[in-house]
Amino acid sequence: MKRSYFTVTYLPINCDYSLLAGRCIGILHGYLSRFELDGIGVSFPKWNEETVGNQIAFVSENESHLQTLRQQNYFQMMSHDGLFKLSEIRTVPELADEIQFVRNQSISKAFVGERRRRMVRAKLRAEARGEEYNPIYEFEPTEIEHFHSIPITSKSNNNEFVLHIQRRECSGTAGGFNKYGFATNEHHLGTVPSLSGLLIS
């Protein structure tokens, strides 16, 4: 299975990497949605405990789709203005380790605001059934593995929301990404090369 990739490196010093990653992912989402495509995954070669890193990579078996994505106006404008550096499209090395970047929507449920909204909904459902609402055992605290949050704006309604992304090690390759280029906990199990050991510029 031959795959290709290109990288986008954010050049400004001390910029908000998550914010720029969200903009890039938004461009990918718009491209995939507009042409009803899939099969492009997102990788973060410089991911670490503190940040998603100053680089994002797009990976696909279809090189022509990557070429079209690379030519999107946002990428070309940011490159022309000296804010992004776009790599050429390259072949993924055969020995690259496989990983998943997973959009985990259950993480948002652990935050106080979301838990409060869920409790209000649960209380209304209980009252509609004529039952007394007892929230003591409704929401058990859970331990959440490391993740980064990436802000993004919906193309359909301009609402802002957050993608909670986790990096997971994998054995072997699997296919399928959502329209944001990520694996999910259930339906999309796509893997991408880590690319972190490569000299990418």
Side-chain angles (χ1 to χ4, degrees):
M1 173 182 63
K2 178 186 174 184
R3 291 176 297 171
S4 302
Y5 72 96
F6 74 91
T7 59
V8 178
T9 304
Y10 321 131
L11 298 179
I13 299 173
N14 298 325
C15 63
D16 187 332
Y17 297 149
S18 291
L19 178 66
L20 292 178
R23 299 272 171 81
C24 293
I25 292 163
I27 298 301
L28 171 67
H29 178 67
Y31 171 64
L32 294 177
S33 300
R34 187 163 63 251
F35 296 104
E36 297 185 355
L37 301 173
D38 54 22
I40 298 180
V42 169
S43 186
F44 295 100
K46 305 295 180 67
W47 175 284
N48 58 58
E49 288 289 315
E50 288 75 36
T51 74
V52 296
N54 71 330
Q55 196 170 69
I56 189 171
F58 299 99
V59 183
S60 179
E61 295 179 35
N62 192 315
E63 187 173 331
S64 66
H65 289 171
L66 287 181
Q67 193 66 256
T68 304
L69 175 63
R70 189 180 180 279
Q71 293 300 318
Q72 296 298 297
N73 289 338
Y74 177 72
F75 293 138
Q76 294 302 311
M77 178 189 69
M78 295 292 276
S79 176
H80 180 268
D81 291 346
L83 301 174
F84 284 177
K85 181 175 182 180
L86 306 180
S87 77
E88 297 301 319
I89 294 178
R90 300 165 175 161
T91 300
V92 173
E94 293 183 9
L95 298 179
D97 293 333
E98 290 298 312
I99 55 177
Q100 283 182 319
F101 287 100
V102 180
R103 181 190 181 189
N104 189 346
Q105 291 181 269
S106 65
I107 290 175
S108 64
K109 298 175 183 176
F111 295 133
V112 173
E114 178 62 23
R115 292 181 69 183
R116 187 179 297 116
R117 284 188 290 272
R118 293 175 68 210
M119 290 177 71
V120 168
R121 289 195 297 266
K123 183 175 185 291
L124 291 174
R125 286 195 300 269
E127 291 173 349
R129 295 190 301 265
E131 300 172 1
E132 182 180 350
Y133 175 58
N134 185 351
I136 296 175
Y137 302 107
E138 186 74 30
F139 305 107
E140 293 292 333
T142 57
E143 184 176 341
I144 301 173
E145 296 178 7
H146 177 263
F147 67 93
H148 285 307
S149 298
I150 299 176
I152 194 165
T153 302
S154 170
K155 297 293 183 183
S156 59
N157 55 25
N158 285 328
N159 286 341
E160 295 182 357
F161 61 100
V162 175
L163 300 173
H164 300 296
I165 307 298
Q166 294 177 305
R167 184 186 190 276
R168 297 179 183 168
E169 304 295 329
C170 296
S171 58
T173 60
F177 303 100
N178 66 11
K179 291 293 186 182
Y180 296 98
F182 295 110
T184 61
N185 285 327
E186 295 180 3
H187 303 298
H188 303 94
L189 304 176
T191 66
V192 291
S194 71
L195 302 175
S196 59
L198 304 178
L199 294 175
I200 305 172
S201 59

